[in-house]
Amino acid sequence: MDIKDTYIKFFENKGHKYIPSSGVIPENDPTSLFTTAGMQPLVPYLMGAKHPEGTRLVDVQKCFRTNDLDAIGDKCHHTFFEMLGNWSLGDYFKKESITWSLELLTKKFNIDINKLAVTVFEGEKNIPRDDESASVWKSLGISEDRISYLDRSNNFWIAGNSGPCGPDTEIFYWTSDEPVPKKHDPNDERWVEIWNNVFMQYYMDEKGNISPLSQKNVDTGMGVERITAVLEKKDDNYKTSIWKDIISQIEEVSHKSYDDPKYTKAMRIIADHIRAIVMISGDDAKIKPSNTDQGYILRRLIRRTIRYAKKLEIDINSDWDIKLASMIIDKYAKYYNELIRNRETILEVLKTEKTKFNRTLEKGLREFEKITRHLDEDMINKDLVFRLYDTYGFPIELTEELALENNLKVDTEGFKQKFKEHQEKSRTASAGKFKGGLAGDGVIETKYHTATHLLNAALKEVINKDVHQMGSNITAERMRFDFSCDHKLTDEEKMKVEALVNKWIEEKIDVTNEIMSKEEALKSGAECMFIEKYPDEVTVYSIGNISKELCGGPHVKNTGELGHFKIKKEEASSAGVRRIKAILE
Ligand code: SER
């Protein structure tokens, strides 16, 4: 049985529309580097925007969790994973969601209902206990003993600190060969969570205040790796059909066995990282290895893979990595067509970065020798370890290993501390960079900011009022503007939009701003992308009576300053989202 196919078909039969996975970089959330959950690309629709495919959706989303690469190497953590999800956008709610989940698990995945337990939200001051979910479960044959009522930390789901959220009900499967206990014990790890159904009916602001959303949604998430391990009865994800051929290939090129505990961890890391590398470099976002943001993660993944391949004594300069990447491309192309389109790019990225790393590795080894020749003690201090890490891309383990060979010690603790400080610094720097989602405040960028508001207003007028901004990005060369729209713009529509923006420019309209509370701003009808991202006091920019938007600015004083507006390109960005690239001449 193909789990993804079965899941998707099941929900298509229940009236859901299949939507392809969004890209690996979240379009709507400049604060995270990668998409981490299936709901992330759907936030605007959970908040009430109309999705062009309707109110019932099903998908499998490419997700990443890259905060802690050191966690990779055990039997169940992955940097890249796939999340199956079905969604109700103000359509069905708890009863249907729970009923269908149980139907899929017991009728299609053939799971014995007696091996299932669930948790529901126990309630707190302003949110009632989720008796509704519990009674649906009971009506379907789950006994009271198998229902645990848990607090917010377990059964209330939100991505990050603010946004759409709600109580959830989680489904657990008894993985052990021991007889299934009558009563569910949430602390017994033999009960493994396989599915999470979130009932997103609230919105939480940055202060933690909760208010009802305009619609009640369902957001479910099921990790493909986890459910596969459960259905194939494996207690090690890498022994499932997902990884089997990849691990065999690594065994072949290294002439070592996965079951030899000396090599298991390295093989898991290589398998996990190569798959993540393929998914990042094969995404249409065209991420390349670099020293910042997503590119830095990609670079680290490639370098770690090479390091662990060296540990397994794989011939680094052979095509072992190309073979592995090709297997992964073929395996995943069915759901992620972009991998086929970007095959050459993926292989090129691997090749180029390998060459670069080999070079830095040599330089680093020379530096290491130099450092160790001049040591006053038998310890490599934290600053030197950090220099090797930062400038020469030496992971701490490499330094430790080399030190051992030279009878030296390494100040690992000191390094970790320094590393943490460095991470915090760069996190703050990237938070600053992403502020407002727009780069640079130069004169030309300022003009583009204002042009964005005019374009937004023109699209609403020419297409319809349901057009909403979904993202934007500005450089000194051009502006990029993403908006919700269910069709490719016709030439006539593009011309009308262009003409309208230019008309407003020629009319030399004043751009004014006013500071007010977030609530007042919303009441005044001001447009905004994601209200939760704004502070309590916001600036509302108005362009005559054409446009009124919450915005951090900066803007020109008068539209007359903008010059001539020209659309260079209009294309699809993701499902139901179009993208315009435009310039000011
Ligand atoms: N948002 C929930 C999760 O990621 C359900 O999809 O677990």
Side-chain angles (χ1 to χ4, degrees):
M1 173 186 53
D2 186 292
I3 292 169
K4 285 186 273 188
D5 282 355
T6 308
Y7 182 102
I8 290 165
K9 239 182 245 130
F10 177 85
F11 281 104
E12 279 178 338
N13 284 336
K14 307 281 185 206
H16 293 63
K17 252 319 224 298
Y18 168 72
I19 52 166
S21 171
S22 289
V24 301
I25 303 185
E27 284 287 333
N28 308 311
D29 182 1
T31 58
S32 35
L33 288 180
F34 288 108
T35 300
T36 57
M39 55 79 73
Q40 228 170 348
L42 293 169
V43 168
Y45 310 108
L46 294 165
M47 306 270 292
K50 253 206 173 93
H51 195 287
E53 298 291 354
T55 54
R56 296 181 183 194
L57 308 174
V58 58
D59 72 0
V60 49
Q61 173 64 41
K62 302 188 281 187
C63 296
F64 288 85
R65 303 214 171 145
T66 55
N67 296 350
D68 189 7
L69 293 190
D70 290 329
I72 311 300
D74 66 4
K75 56 191 184 182
C76 60
H77 280 94
H78 306 294
T79 38
F80 166 81
F81 64 100
E82 297 179 275
M83 196 185 277
L84 286 159
N86 62 282
W87 319 87
S88 157
L89 304 169
D91 189 323
Y92 60 86
F93 205 42
K94 295 178 181 175
K95 182 160 179 267
E96 293 86 341
S97 173
I98 292 174
T99 307
W100 291 339
S101 288
L102 193 67
E103 185 183 330
L104 176 71
L105 293 176
T106 55
K107 300 270 165 35
K108 302 286 175 194
F109 290 170
N110 299 322
I111 287 180
D112 178 359
I113 189 171
N114 187 40
K115 288 193 167 184
L116 294 175
V118 301
T119 59
V120 298
F121 185 49
E122 69 175 11
E124 59 184 54
K125 214 169 71 214
N126 298 317
I127 308 167
R129 182 169 116 136
D130 192 2
D131 287 324
E132 194 183 337
S133 291
S135 72
V136 179
W137 282 119
K138 278 186 259 183
S139 76
L140 298 171
I142 299 284
S143 70
E144 181 73 38
D145 273 340
R146 292 282 177 82
I147 303 177
S148 300
Y149 297 81
L150 302 177
D151 67 4
R152 182 192 276 237
S153 65
N154 291 293
N155 278 87
F156 195 88
W157 204 92
I158 184 161
N161 297 325
S162 64
C165 56
D168 63 11
T169 181
E170 299 182 2
I171 307 173
F172 289 76
Y173 175 79
W174 179 252
T175 52
S176 162
D177 289 334
E178 305 280 310
V180 199
K182 188 160 170 279
K183 197 167 164 49
H184 175 234
D185 172 3
N187 296 317
D188 185 335
E189 287 179 357
R190 289 172 293 180
W191 287 106
V192 167
E193 185 202 332
I194 52 172
W195 205 347
N196 182 12
N197 296 23
V198 186
F199 304 116
M200 292 206 155
Q201 60 186 112
Y202 299 109
Y203 175 80
M204 194 188 293
D205 69 18
E206 272 142 6
K207 285 195 181 138
N209 300 317
I210 284 184
S211 53
L213 281 177
S214 60
Q215 64 188 34
K216 290 181 175 175
N217 310 287
V218 175
D219 147 34
T220 88
M222 177 191 270
V224 173
E225 286 70 15
R226 177 90 54 88
I227 190 72
T228 304
V230 161
L231 294 181
E232 294 182 4
K233 303 200 183 323
K234 303 278 192 238
D235 86 323
D236 173 350
N237 287 5
Y238 293 90
K239 294 237 164 175
T240 65
S241 55
I242 297 181
W243 298 100
K244 233 173 145 185
D245 46 354
I246 298 164
I247 294 288
S248 301
Q249 181 68 29
I250 299 174
E251 288 182 314
E252 199 178 311
V253 292
S254 64
H255 310 289
K256 306 224 163 18
S257 159
Y258 176 80
D259 291 324
D260 184 334
K262 284 206 295 292
Y263 306 122
T264 312
K265 183 175 171 200
M267 289 201 191
R268 285 174 180 162
I269 291 174
I270 294 171
D272 171 272
H273 284 14
I274 280 271
R275 187 175 72 160
I277 292 162
V278 167
M279 294 296 171
I280 297 176
S281 56
D283 191 85
D284 286 328
K286 308 248 178 272
I287 301 158
K288 294 277 161 24
S290 73
N291 286 331
T292 52
D293 305 332
Q294 291 89 355
Y296 183 56
I297 304 277
L298 178 57
R299 167 159 287 165
R300 281 187 66 196
L301 289 169
I302 298 177
R303 293 187 170 195
R304 282 190 107 220
T305 308
I306 297 177
R307 263 293 297 144
Y308 281 93
K310 277 181 190 274
K311 276 196 179 180
L312 293 183
E313 295 170 285
I314 293 174
D315 174 7
I316 295 300
N317 294 317
S318 69
D319 63 353
W320 63 282
D321 48 349
I322 303 294
K323 272 194 200 143
L324 282 169
S326 303
M327 274 176 83
I328 292 164
I329 296 171
D330 295 340
K331 200 177 171 86
Y332 285 92
K334 179 171 169 198
Y335 280 105
Y336 313 120
N337 295 328
E338 58 275 22
L339 298 179
I340 299 281
R341 274 200 298 285
N342 299 325
R343 182 189 287 269
E344 289 313 310
T345 314
I346 299 168
L347 304 183
E348 190 57 36
V349 161
L350 274 169
K351 215 168 107 200
T352 317
E353 190 61 15
K354 186 162 76 178
T355 316
K356 266 195 194 145
F357 186 46
N358 275 339
R359 241 183 282 137
T360 33
L361 200 59
E362 271 167 41
K363 275 196 220 150
L365 286 172
R366 276 202 297 276
E367 180 68 14
F368 181 85
E369 278 164 27
K370 210 164 88 198
I371 286 174
T372 49
R373 237 182 288 131
H374 296 104
L375 285 180
D376 300 328
E377 46 180 359
D378 66 349
M379 163 84 88
I380 310 181
N381 72 34
K382 62 176 186 194
D383 297 323
L384 295 173
V385 185
F386 193 77
R387 171 136 57 96
L388 284 167
Y389 166 79
D390 203 33
T391 315
Y392 298 96
F394 266 35
I396 173 84
E397 310 94 69
L398 176 57
T399 307
E400 281 173 342
E401 215 170 274
L402 292 168
L404 196 69
E405 284 167 18
N406 291 276
N407 292 323
L408 293 168
K409 291 196 205 91
V410 175
D411 180 6
T412 305
E413 281 315 304
F415 168 80
K416 282 191 182 148
Q417 187 56 36
K418 196 167 163 108
F419 178 77
K420 226 192 203 154
E421 284 161 24
H422 176 80
Q423 244 185 349
E424 263 148 32
K425 248 189 250 156
S426 48
R427 215 174 282 134
T428 323
S430 61
K433 182 173 138 219
F434 282 127
K435 214 159 137 205
L438 299 166
D441 289 348
V443 178
I444 178 72
E445 283 99 335
T446 306
K447 289 182 184 176
Y448 277 126
H449 280 205
T450 310
T452 307
H453 290 212
L454 290 181
L455 175 58
N456 195 0
L459 285 166
K460 280 193 196 320
E461 194 144 330
V462 174
I463 318 263
N464 61 50
K465 289 269 167 289
D466 286 333
V467 169
H468 287 287
Q469 174 170 355
M470 304 295 283
S472 77
N473 174 277
I474 284 171
T475 69
E477 284 75 40
R478 55 111 184 103
M479 58 184 273
R480 196 180 81 193
F481 186 79
D482 292 352
F483 57 102
S484 54
C485 175
D486 61 2
H487 65 275
K488 181 169 175 58
L489 299 199
T490 61
D491 287 343
E492 198 192 337
E493 283 171 330
K494 277 189 280 189
M495 262 160 52
K496 276 190 183 161
V497 168
E498 225 171 52
L500 198 52
V501 172
N502 282 319
K503 174 172 158 274
W504 289 331
I505 294 175
E506 278 153 30
E507 283 172 3
K508 297 193 181 10
I509 307 164
D510 279 338
V511 180
T512 54
N513 68 65
E514 231 182 310
I515 295 175
M516 55 181 93
S517 74
K518 197 146 76 169
E519 283 67 37
E520 251 180 297
L522 282 185
K523 259 190 232 135
S524 81
E527 276 268 315
C528 77
M529 262 212 304
F530 299 117
I531 189 72
E532 75 271 23
K533 295 227 188 312
Y534 291 89
D536 287 344
E537 283 228 309
V538 295
T539 311
V540 173
Y541 277 89
S542 301
I543 306 176
N545 54 12
I546 292 160
S547 146
K548 193 171 202 182
E549 282 193 42
L550 256 87
C551 180
H555 285 281
V556 298
K557 294 218 153 33
N558 185 287
T559 58
E561 296 168 41
L562 297 186
H564 187 257
F565 174 81
K566 194 165 170 48
I567 295 178
K568 297 294 277 187
K569 202 169 182 185
E570 191 272 341
E571 60 190 351
S573 164
S574 58
V577 180
R578 307 291 307 175
R579 169 169 289 180
I580 282 182
K581 287 188 182 145
I583 57 166
L584 290 168
E585 302 176 306

